[in-house]
Structures are given as C-alpha cells and as structure tokens.
Amino acid sequence: MENKELLQEEELSNILTLTDEAGNDVDFEYLDSVDYEGKEYLLLMPVDELATEVIILEVEPVDEETENYRSVTDEAILNAVYGIFKERYKDVLTFED
C-alpha cells in the first residue's frame, strides 16, 4: 500500500496549476525544463485534455521565490527547445513529427 501512495504523491508533484488570461486555473503535467540561450523554458502537457501537444513556456524570474511563465511565439525558439527535449528523451519516449 505504501508504494501505491508514494507513486500517487509523485504523480501529484508533477502537476503545475497555472492561471490563464481569463482567470481560470488550468492543470499541467510538468515534463521537463530546458535551458536555451540563457533562458529557462518549461515543457508542460495539459492534464484535462486528450491532446498530445506539448506547451512551452519561458520562465521569467520575479524574485527569489516567484516566477512568471510567458507564452513563446517565436517558432525558432519553440523548435530549438522542443528539439533539445526530443533529443534528451529519444530513448524513452516516442515522438510523432
């Protein structure tokens, strides 16, 4: 029973709740973070959707305890960050191109 509880706690610790522009809380599964050109990017997947699309957000530090997450619109950055993620997990995950 303890192993099952530990697994559930671990799964919950990978959930990140963010507030969208409309003030709605949205849950995402944290996949990884990638450093690219001096900035940190989070790779997330929506929890409540059947989508297989990965969301990439730029981490913007506010202070020691707080950070904001910004949408990335630059296709070159999105492709580069996703490419790093794919390379990192090529032996673990299957990717559709």
Side-chain angles (χ1 to χ4, degrees):
M1 188 75 164
E2 284 183 27
N3 288 339
K4 185 176 182 181
E5 289 174 7
L6 283 174
L7 184 59
Q8 288 173 340
E9 285 180 28
E10 185 175 312
E11 287 174 3
L12 290 176
S13 69
N14 286 336
I15 303 300
L16 181 65
T17 303
L18 301 177
T19 305
D20 66 14
E21 298 86 18
N24 301 312
D25 287 344
V26 182
D27 290 333
F28 293 91
E29 179 181 359
Y30 170 83
L31 301 175
D32 200 1
S33 65
V34 170
D35 290 326
Y36 177 71
E37 292 189 348
K39 295 183 180 179
E40 180 182 6
Y41 296 89
L42 294 184
L43 288 94
L44 309 170
M45 185 172 287
V47 170
D48 293 335
E49 298 180 18
L50 297 175
T52 57
E53 186 172 297
V54 173
I55 307 297
I56 298 173
L57 300 175
E58 180 183 336
V59 177
E60 181 182 79
V62 175
D63 57 38
E64 296 260 340
E65 299 176 8
T66 309
E67 51 193 28
N68 290 326
Y69 306 106
R70 301 180 64 186
S71 297
V72 179
T73 56
D74 185 320
E75 286 293 322
I77 292 173
L78 290 170
N79 290 332
V81 169
Y82 189 63
I84 293 167
F85 174 75
K86 283 174 52 175
E87 181 63 27
R88 192 177 285 172
Y89 291 95
K90 68 182 178 187
D91 296 331
V92 179
L93 300 173
T94 303
F95 296 94
E96 295 179 16
D97 288 324

